[in-house]
Amino acid sequence: MIQLKNVTRRYQQGENVVLALDDVSLRIEAQEYVAVTGESGSGKSTFLHLVGGLDKPDAGEVLVNGLALQAASERELSEYRARDLGIVFQFFNLLPTLDVLENVCAPLQFQGVKHRQAVARGREMLGLVGMEKREHHFVHQLSGGEMQRTAIARALVHRPRVLLADEPTGNLDAANAVKVLEIFRRISDERLTTLVVVTHSDEVAETAQRRIRLRNGRVEAEERVGVSA
Ligand SMILES: Nc1ncnc2c1ncn2[C@@H]1O[C@H](COP(=O)(O)OP(=O)(O)OP(=O)(O)O)[C@@H](O)[C@H]1O
Ligand SMILES: [Mg+2]
């Protein structure tokens, strides 16, 4: 479970203070699929960075599965990121010198999982995202959609309890975006992990169980699919 309690993150820009997040409180249940929407500059990436333990709030608490991230040590945070968290970026962030399977297995090797086990798990994840026939392609031999599906497989390979995605379809054409959405639906249906997706796209937001809309660093609206609240 992810919980924000009165979270504020501010940036000083010369004379001005930007309230990237302004006293935000919210809760995301384990295995829930939530879309975070809002205009450019509304605080979406700031929110994701706080939940990912990549940044700390100026006030308030960020709790993920009971761990208070704002108070955690560097060691606790790096353990949290390596063990409990998967992140999918807009620009895929795959390693060009590794092939698809090696990219997907990299987080496991980092954790000292035996090669054979890592490969088996990597292939399982490539199956989940429909990339099993591309395992020995290098990154430059993939389409954008294939790169993103590989990145999702990599983010899931160590069975994280939380998967965060920042504009995961931002660089995809419509057909590839649909494939990525189908994967998110499947991740949600199979209850593999808590899924938080930041997006500008209504199509993406509509696949989530709940939408949280930010505006000027505050929660402007929340709605469940088909129900306004
Ligand atoms: N390092 C920083 N220094 C100063 N201001 C920042 C910094 N990072 C973010 N901000 C400001 O905080 C606000 C929220 O930024 P954030 O990146 O969270 O927006 P966003 O909703 O992700 O936008 P986008 O849709 O464009 O990615 C913006 O007004 C931005 O200018
Ligand atoms: Mg952003």
Side-chain angles (χ1 to χ4, degrees):
M1 186 186 64
I2 299 167
Q3 201 169 8
L4 272 68
K5 293 186 188 169
N6 305 103
V7 167
T8 294
R9 179 73 174 101
R10 58 177 85 86
Y11 293 106
Q12 188 81 38
Q13 280 294 75
E15 300 276 280
N16 298 325
V17 176
V18 177
L19 281 172
L21 288 181
D22 182 6
D23 197 25
V24 168
S25 295
L26 58 83
R27 193 180 144 123
I28 297 172
E29 302 302 328
Q31 299 172 345
E32 198 182 358
Y33 173 13
V34 169
V36 178
T37 66
E39 286 171 12
S40 181
S42 58
K44 305 182 299 296
S45 293
T46 302
F47 165 74
L48 219 63
H49 294 155
L50 291 175
V51 174
L54 305 164
D55 188 17
K56 290 195 177 189
D58 295 296
E61 292 179 68
V62 182
L63 297 147
V64 183
N65 301 320
L67 179 67
L69 300 185
Q70 81 287 346
S73 66
E74 269 314 308
R75 190 200 163 95
E76 284 173 319
L77 283 178
S78 55
E79 252 182 48
Y80 161 68
R81 286 193 295 258
R83 194 190 50 212
D84 294 335
L85 193 69
I87 305 190
V88 176
F89 298 96
Q90 179 172 7
F91 295 101
F92 322 133
N93 293 15
L94 298 170
L95 295 168
T97 56
L98 302 183
D99 70 20
V100 162
L101 184 60
E102 289 165 340
N103 263 287
V104 170
C105 294
L108 293 178
Q109 257 141 11
F110 195 61
Q111 286 180 21
V113 174
K114 289 211 179 67
H115 180 73
R116 190 194 295 255
Q117 265 179 297
V119 165
R121 176 73 186 156
R123 290 207 166 110
E124 192 188 322
M125 287 299 100
L126 287 176
L128 178 83
V129 300
M131 284 291 292
E132 61 275 33
K133 297 211 172 79
R134 295 283 184 278
E135 65 176 51
H136 294 306
H137 281 230
F138 284 89
V139 176
H140 71 271
Q141 298 167 323
L142 300 175
S143 73
E146 289 171 341
M147 288 182 207
Q148 193 56 300
R149 285 188 279 149
T150 302
I152 294 170
R154 180 184 56 181
L156 282 172
V157 76
H158 57 303
R159 298 189 172 92
R161 293 165 78 182
V162 175
L163 182 65
L164 306 177
D166 199 350
E167 290 288 347
T169 61
N171 280 300
L172 302 181
D173 61 33
N176 277 308
V178 166
K179 282 191 187 160
V180 165
L181 294 187
E182 281 165 5
I183 293 166
F184 285 155
R185 264 208 203 98
R186 186 158 170 201
I187 290 168
S188 171
D189 288 347
E190 295 185 16
R191 301 178 72 75
L192 295 177
T193 183
T194 308
L195 179 53
V196 182
V197 179
V198 161
T199 184
H200 279 110
S201 149
D202 291 339
E203 282 85 10
V204 178
E206 275 162 19
T207 64
Q209 295 163 336
R210 181 157 61 111
R211 290 186 281 272
I212 298 174
R213 191 161 75 241
L214 297 179
R215 187 181 175 86
N216 295 331
R218 290 181 153 258
V219 176
E220 182 187 46
E222 270 193 63
E223 53 186 344
R224 297 202 169 266
V225 167
V227 191
S228 305

